[in-house]
Amino acid sequence: MKKIIPILMLASLISCTKNNDKADGYGNFEATEITISAEANGKIEYLKLEEGDILEPNNQVGLINTTQLHFNKQQLLASKSTVYSKSANVLSQIKVLQEQLKTAQIEKKRIQNMFAENAATKRQVDEIDGKVSVIQEQIKSVQTQNAPIVNEAKSIDFQIEKINDQIEKSKIINPMKGTVLAKYAEPNEVTAFGKPIYKIADISEMTLRVYVSETQLSNIKMGQKVTVKIDAEKEMKSFPGTISWIASSAEFTPKIVQTKEERVNLVYAVKVKVKNDGSLKTGMPAEMWIK
């Protein structure tokens, strides 16, 4: 009887140890990867990045040739100058007519005063009224001639703005802080709109997507601190993690679960945020431990 009790206790201890050694979730690390593509056509003049480089946001890392765009812009600027010279000629005519109108209106007022004192005839009043009306119509006519010129100048301005936008899009601007994961182009290559140039991701903080069963949901919550473990040479390496998202609906068990019994179960996806010390990689398997 003395020998049986230790054996039962040992069996119980082994059983508990095995249960405690089982992680609460298994999954792989993810990172939000962004593929930066060309927004212009032409030869890549330079591309200052390599795989593994850490890039800062809003920094220009490359340039697509803008020579043709520059020539088109200069041509439009020359056309704009020609159009404005036409407009200046029209405006000078309007200015002359406005001076004539000003003189005629002064004369009209003088004649009207004289007519009121019976010092001028009705014919003189009619003549000056007609003269003022003619000059006013001439001004309207010249202004009508200037309207198409102004519209033409506006059209050229829009074309210049369009080219300026194309020149800006020829600059390869890095949009976010992150690590270059892949480089798809090299300097002196000809690229096209929408063609990938490089892929970048912020891997300073990784996301571990794990799957838990329905019975485990009561043990986890948003913002909860957990332990994340990855394989190492001698023993598993641990990282602190925080649960950032829990799926609201169940889904079938992912393919990484191979046993027949577990494949028929429904599980919930959980995301865990983990600070990366440089050893975590996209796609790397890991375990989540709640306790």
Side-chain angles (χ1 to χ4, degrees), residues 224-283:
Q224 182 177 343
K225 302 297 182 182
V226 296
T227 300
V228 173
K229 295 183 179 182
I230 63 172
D231 293 329
E233 290 185 7
K234 296 182 179 180
E235 58 183 13
M236 300 191 76
K237 186 176 181 180
S238 299
F239 295 84
T242 304
I243 295 177
S244 60
W245 174 79
I246 301 173
S248 57
S249 59
E251 56 187 273
F252 285 105
T253 303
K255 295 179 181 179
I256 58 173
V257 178
Q258 299 297 328
T259 63
K260 182 177 180 181
E261 293 77 8
E262 290 180 329
R263 282 202 303 270
V264 299
N265 294 329
L266 291 174
V267 294
Y268 291 80
V270 176
K271 289 183 179 180
V272 181
K273 294 291 185 182
V274 182
K275 290 291 183 181
N276 189 3
D277 64 352
S279 59
L280 304 181
K281 309 297 180 184
T282 304

Side-chain angles (χ1 to χ4, degrees), residues 10-26:
L10 180 61
S12 177
L13 181 61
I14 292 174
S15 176
C16 291
T17 303
K18 288 183 178 179
N19 291 334
N20 291 337
D21 286 342
K22 186 177 180 181
D24 297 287
Y26 301 89

Side-chain angles (χ1 to χ4, degrees), residues 27 64 79 188 216 233:
I64 299 172
S79 299
N188 298 317
Q216 292 175 288
E233 290 185 7

